[in-house]
């Protein structure tokens, strides 16, 4: 409010729990009552993972899917109904480069992001009668944030002990700016990352056999570091 021409009526902050799907319709209605319309929905809630599959309880995978996937599409459903009535809007989902590749220590997280990619790519094909409703997927690589401090581990009660150095990751403000550029230009899918991480994305897309070979080599080292309590900063997608 201090640095813009906005008034208090231009801002509405609602506490929202993505895992409480029964509250999503009411939250959507609260926004519509306040503003009268929803132009853009940015789905940006989720948690990552750092654990080996063989050590991880299945309830962790259930929690990941409930939050990252089902919570996202639940909120999307209520907002999309409004956008279909208006025949206009943008639905932006922050996925991950993990939604287009695989990596060790993040099997559940990768699965949830692959699910989002498949869902929204399919949803886009169901909205061909609504050309002004955009489905946009943002796939960031490593970005400076608190996502590592809040990852799922092998059980729901355990937190990650060492989050490591994040200085090698893309600054948060640059990722946000590139996301806004993608949204403004209706880019269907944007990979937002620095090299060498971005190069791995292209390799995975266009030369998957080489990508599998590379990820096996990098993954083995990453798992060894993880077991030794070392947080790797090598160019493996995070």
């Amino acid at each position: 409010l201090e640095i813009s021409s906005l008034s208090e009526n231009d801002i509405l902050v609602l506490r929202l729990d993505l895992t409480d799907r029964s509250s999503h319709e009411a939250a959507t209605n609260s926004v519509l009552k306040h503003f009268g319309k929803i132009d853009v929905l940015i789905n940006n809630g989720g948690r990552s993972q750092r654990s080996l599959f063989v050590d991880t309880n299945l309830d962790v995978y259930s929690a990941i899917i409930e939050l990252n996937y089902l919570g996202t599409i639940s909120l999307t459903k209520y907002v999309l109904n409004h956008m279909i009535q208006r025949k206009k809007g943008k639905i932006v989902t922050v996925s991950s480069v993990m939604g287009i590749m695989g990596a060790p220590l993040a099997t559940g997280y990768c699965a949830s992001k692959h699910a989002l990619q498949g869902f929204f790519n399919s949803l886009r094909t169901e909205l061909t009668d609504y050309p002004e409703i955009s489905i946009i997927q943002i796939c960031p690589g490593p970005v400076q944030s608190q996502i590592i401090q809040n990852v799922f581990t092998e059980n729901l009660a355990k937190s990650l002990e060492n989050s490591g150095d994040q200085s090698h990751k893309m600054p948060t403000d640059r990722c946000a700016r590139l996301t806004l550029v993608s949204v403004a230009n209706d880019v269907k899918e944007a990979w937002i990352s620095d090299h060498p991480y971005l190069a791995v994305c292209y390799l995975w897309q266009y030369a998957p056999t080489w990508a599998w070979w590379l990820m096996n080599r990098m993954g083995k080292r990453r798992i060894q570091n993880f077991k030794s309590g070392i947080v790797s900063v090598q160019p493996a997608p995070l």
Side-chain angles (χ1 to χ4, degrees):
L1 291 174
E2 293 176 353
I3 64 173
S4 72
S5 59
L6 297 175
S7 68
E8 290 189 3
N9 288 333
D10 295 321
I11 300 172
L12 176 66
V13 179
L14 295 178
R15 185 182 295 273
L16 185 70
D17 183 351
L18 278 179
T19 63
D20 182 10
R21 284 182 269 150
S22 63
S23 68
H24 296 173
E25 183 176 17
T28 303
N29 290 336
S30 294
V31 174
L32 290 174
K33 182 178 180 180
H34 186 87
F35 292 108
K37 62 179 181 178
I38 297 176
D39 295 305
V40 182
L41 168 65
I42 299 181
N43 291 310
N44 189 40
R47 289 176 66 184
S48 189
Q49 176 194 7
R50 286 295 181 279
S51 62
L52 290 167
F53 170 65
V54 294
D55 299 328
T56 305
N57 295 334
L58 286 180
D59 57 356
V60 172
Y61 289 89
S62 178
I64 292 174
I65 293 298
E66 183 67 40
L67 173 61
N68 293 7
Y69 176 62
L70 292 176
T72 294
I73 67 172
S74 170
L75 188 59
T76 296
K77 184 174 182 66
Y78 293 111
V79 175
L80 180 61
N81 286 336
H82 164 70
M83 290 182 176
I84 287 176
Q85 293 176 5
R86 292 186 65 209
K87 298 184 178 181
K88 184 178 181 180
K90 296 177 187 285
I91 295 178
V92 184
T93 301
V94 179
S95 178
S96 170
V97 295
M98 298 287 233
I100 55 177
M101 64 175 70
L105 304 173
T107 48
Y109 180 71
C110 285
S112 69
K113 295 302 184 178
H114 275 71
L116 288 176
Q117 292 288 111
F119 174 83
F120 283 104
N121 282 335
S122 299
L123 178 60
R124 190 184 293 111
T125 67
E126 294 184 3
L127 297 174
T128 53
D129 289 338
Y130 304 93
E132 291 191 50
I133 297 179
S134 303
I135 302 295
I136 300 168
Q137 289 163 246
I138 305 296
C139 300
V143 176
Q144 294 173 8
S145 73
Q146 294 185 355
I147 191 171
I148 302 302
Q149 290 93 320
N150 296 291
V151 296
F152 286 102
T153 61
E154 59 267 28
N155 65 71
L156 293 175
K158 182 180 177 181
S159 59
L160 190 69
E161 295 179 357
N162 186 1
S163 59
D165 176 41
Q166 296 202 50
S167 61
H168 64 289
K169 299 181 181 181
M170 177 181 285
T172 312
D173 57 351
R174 174 162 173 76
C175 180
R177 176 173 174 78
L178 292 174
T179 297
L180 291 173
V181 170
S182 302
V183 173
N185 289 278
D186 284 331
V187 176
K188 290 182 174 63
E189 181 173 299
W191 303 349
I192 299 178
S193 183
D194 293 323
H195 287 300
Y197 311 97
L198 187 60
V200 176
C201 296
Y202 281 98
L203 193 65
W204 198 274
Q205 185 80 6
Y206 298 111
T209 300
W210 282 104
W212 295 330
W213 175 84
L214 178 63
M215 292 302 292
N216 284 342
R217 287 176 60 89
M218 296 171 65
K220 183 177 181 179
R221 180 175 58 191
R222 195 164 185 236
I223 291 171
Q224 290 173 344
N225 289 342
F226 177 76
K227 289 182 175 180
S228 301
I230 301 171
V231 178
S232 174
V233 296
Q234 299 300 321
L238 301 179

